[in-house]
PDB file of all heavy atoms in Angstrom:
ATOM      1  N   THR L 227      -8.257  -6.392  13.784  1.00 98.00           N
ATOM      2  CA  THR L 227      -8.597  -5.189  14.553  1.00 98.00           C
ATOM      3  C   THR L 227      -9.252  -4.159  13.647  1.00 98.00           C
ATOM      4  O   THR L 227      -8.705  -3.812  12.602  1.00 98.00           O
ATOM      5  CB  THR L 227      -7.339  -4.577  15.199  1.00 98.00           C
ATOM      6  OG1 THR L 227      -6.660  -5.578  15.955  1.00 98.00           O
ATOM      7  CG2 THR L 227      -7.717  -3.421  16.115  1.00 98.00           C
ATOM      8  N   SER L 228     -10.399  -3.655  14.049  1.00 97.00           N
ATOM      9  CA  SER L 228     -11.090  -2.620  13.285  1.00 97.00           C
ATOM     10  C   SER L 228     -10.698  -1.238  13.794  1.00 97.00           C
ATOM     11  O   SER L 228     -10.296  -1.083  14.948  1.00 97.00           O
ATOM     12  CB  SER L 228     -12.604  -2.797  13.403  1.00 97.00           C
ATOM     13  OG  SER L 228     -13.008  -4.048  12.883  1.00 97.00           O
ATOM     14  N   GLY L 229     -10.817  -0.238  12.931  1.00 98.00           N
ATOM     15  CA  GLY L 229     -10.501   1.122  13.329  1.00 98.00           C
ATOM     16  C   GLY L 229      -9.690   1.841  12.286  1.00 98.00           C
ATOM     17  O   GLY L 229      -9.450   1.329  11.182  1.00 98.00           O
ATOM     18  N   ASP L 230      -9.283   3.063  12.604  1.00 98.00           N
ATOM     19  CA  ASP L 230      -8.449   3.853  11.702  1.00 98.00           C
ATOM     20  C   ASP L 230      -7.186   3.072  11.342  1.00 98.00           C
ATOM     21  O   ASP L 230      -6.496   2.554  12.230  1.00 98.00           O
ATOM     22  CB  ASP L 230      -8.068   5.172  12.380  1.00 98.00           C
ATOM     23  CG  ASP L 230      -7.115   5.983  11.551  1.00 98.00           C
ATOM     24  OD1 ASP L 230      -7.548   6.564  10.534  1.00 98.00           O
ATOM     25  OD2 ASP L 230      -5.915   6.018  11.907  1.00 98.00           O
ATOM     26  N   VAL L 231      -6.896   2.979  10.049  1.00 98.00           N
ATOM     27  CA  VAL L 231      -5.818   2.116   9.560  1.00 98.00           C
ATOM     28  C   VAL L 231      -4.478   2.447  10.203  1.00 98.00           C
ATOM     29  O   VAL L 231      -3.766   1.557  10.693  1.00 98.00           O
ATOM     30  CB  VAL L 231      -5.712   2.204   8.025  1.00 98.00           C
ATOM     31  CG1 VAL L 231      -4.434   1.530   7.529  1.00 98.00           C
ATOM     32  CG2 VAL L 231      -6.929   1.571   7.377  1.00 98.00           C
ATOM     33  N   LYS L 232      -4.114   3.723  10.219  1.00 98.00           N
ATOM     34  CA  LYS L 232      -2.813   4.091  10.752  1.00 98.00           C
ATOM     35  C   LYS L 232      -2.753   3.896  12.268  1.00 98.00           C
ATOM     36  O   LYS L 232      -1.732   3.459  12.815  1.00 98.00           O
ATOM     37  CB  LYS L 232      -2.480   5.543  10.396  1.00 98.00           C
ATOM     38  CG  LYS L 232      -1.041   5.931  10.745  1.00 98.00           C
ATOM     39  CD  LYS L 232      -0.674   7.277  10.147  1.00 98.00           C
ATOM     40  CE  LYS L 232       0.779   7.629  10.455  1.00 98.00           C
ATOM     41  NZ  LYS L 232       1.168   8.936   9.851  1.00 98.00           N
ATOM     42  N   THR L 233      -3.850   4.206  12.960  1.00 98.00           N
ATOM     43  CA  THR L 233      -3.885   4.018  14.412  1.00 98.00           C
ATOM     44  C   THR L 233      -3.737   2.546  14.759  1.00 98.00           C
ATOM     45  O   THR L 233      -2.959   2.175  15.659  1.00 98.00           O
ATOM     46  CB  THR L 233      -5.206   4.556  14.991  1.00 98.00           C
ATOM     47  OG1 THR L 233      -5.307   5.950  14.703  1.00 98.00           O
ATOM     48  CG2 THR L 233      -5.264   4.344  16.492  1.00 98.00           C
ATOM     49  N   VAL L 234      -4.490   1.688  14.067  1.00 98.00           N
ATOM     50  CA  VAL L 234      -4.392   0.244  14.306  1.00 98.00           C
ATOM     51  C   VAL L 234      -2.986  -0.253  14.014  1.00 98.00           C
ATOM     52  O   VAL L 234      -2.418  -1.036  14.786  1.00 98.00           O
ATOM     53  CB  VAL L 234      -5.426  -0.513  13.445  1.00 98.00           C
ATOM     54  CG1 VAL L 234      -5.160  -2.020  13.473  1.00 98.00           C
ATOM     55  CG2 VAL L 234      -6.834  -0.218  13.919  1.00 98.00           C
ATOM     56  N   ALA L 235      -2.412   0.187  12.901  1.00 98.00           N
ATOM     57  CA  ALA L 235      -1.066  -0.251  12.539  1.00 98.00           C
ATOM     58  C   ALA L 235      -0.042   0.186  13.582  1.00 98.00           C
ATOM     59  O   ALA L 235       0.871  -0.578  13.934  1.00 98.00           O
ATOM     60  CB  ALA L 235      -0.685   0.294  11.164  1.00 98.00           C
ATOM     61  N   THR L 236      -0.179   1.400  14.079  1.00 98.00           N
ATOM     62  CA  THR L 236       0.739   1.893  15.106  1.00 98.00           C
ATOM     63  C   THR L 236       0.633   1.049  16.369  1.00 98.00           C
ATOM     64  O   THR L 236       1.651   0.659  16.965  1.00 98.00           O
ATOM     65  CB  THR L 236       0.430   3.358  15.442  1.00 98.00           C
ATOM     66  OG1 THR L 236       0.514   4.142  14.246  1.00 98.00           O
ATOM     67  CG2 THR L 236       1.416   3.905  16.462  1.00 98.00           C
ATOM     68  N   GLN L 237      -0.574   0.748  16.781  1.00 98.00           N
ATOM     69  CA  GLN L 237      -0.788  -0.047  17.986  1.00 98.00           C
ATOM     70  C   GLN L 237      -0.274  -1.471  17.797  1.00 98.00           C
ATOM     71  O   GLN L 237       0.377  -2.028  18.705  1.00 98.00           O
ATOM     72  CB  GLN L 237      -2.275  -0.058  18.346  1.00 98.00           C
ATOM     73  CG  GLN L 237      -2.808   1.304  18.771  1.00 98.00           C
ATOM     74  CD  GLN L 237      -4.326   1.330  18.904  1.00 98.00           C
ATOM     75  OE1 GLN L 237      -5.030   0.425  18.429  1.00 98.00           O
ATOM     76  NE2 GLN L 237      -4.845   2.373  19.532  1.00 98.00           N
ATOM     77  N   CYS L 238      -0.544  -2.059  16.649  1.00 98.00           N
ATOM     78  CA  CYS L 238      -0.085  -3.422  16.389  1.00 98.00           C
ATOM     79  C   CYS L 238       1.438  -3.480  16.276  1.00 98.00           C
ATOM     80  O   CYS L 238       2.061  -4.466  16.687  1.00 98.00           O
ATOM     81  CB  CYS L 238      -0.732  -3.961  15.112  1.00 98.00           C
ATOM     82  SG  CYS L 238      -2.497  -4.352  15.289  1.00 98.00           S
ATOM     83  N   ALA L 239       2.037  -2.443  15.708  1.00 98.00           N
ATOM     84  CA  ALA L 239       3.492  -2.401  15.614  1.00 98.00           C
ATOM     85  C   ALA L 239       4.124  -2.394  17.001  1.00 98.00           C
ATOM     86  O   ALA L 239       5.122  -3.086  17.259  1.00 98.00           O
ATOM     87  CB  ALA L 239       3.931  -1.166  14.831  1.00 98.00           C
TER      88      ALA L 239
END
Side-chain angles (χ1 to χ4, degrees):
T227 307
S228 299
D230 175 74
V231 169
K232 189 169 182 179
T233 300
V234 169
T236 303
Q237 293 171 345
C238 288

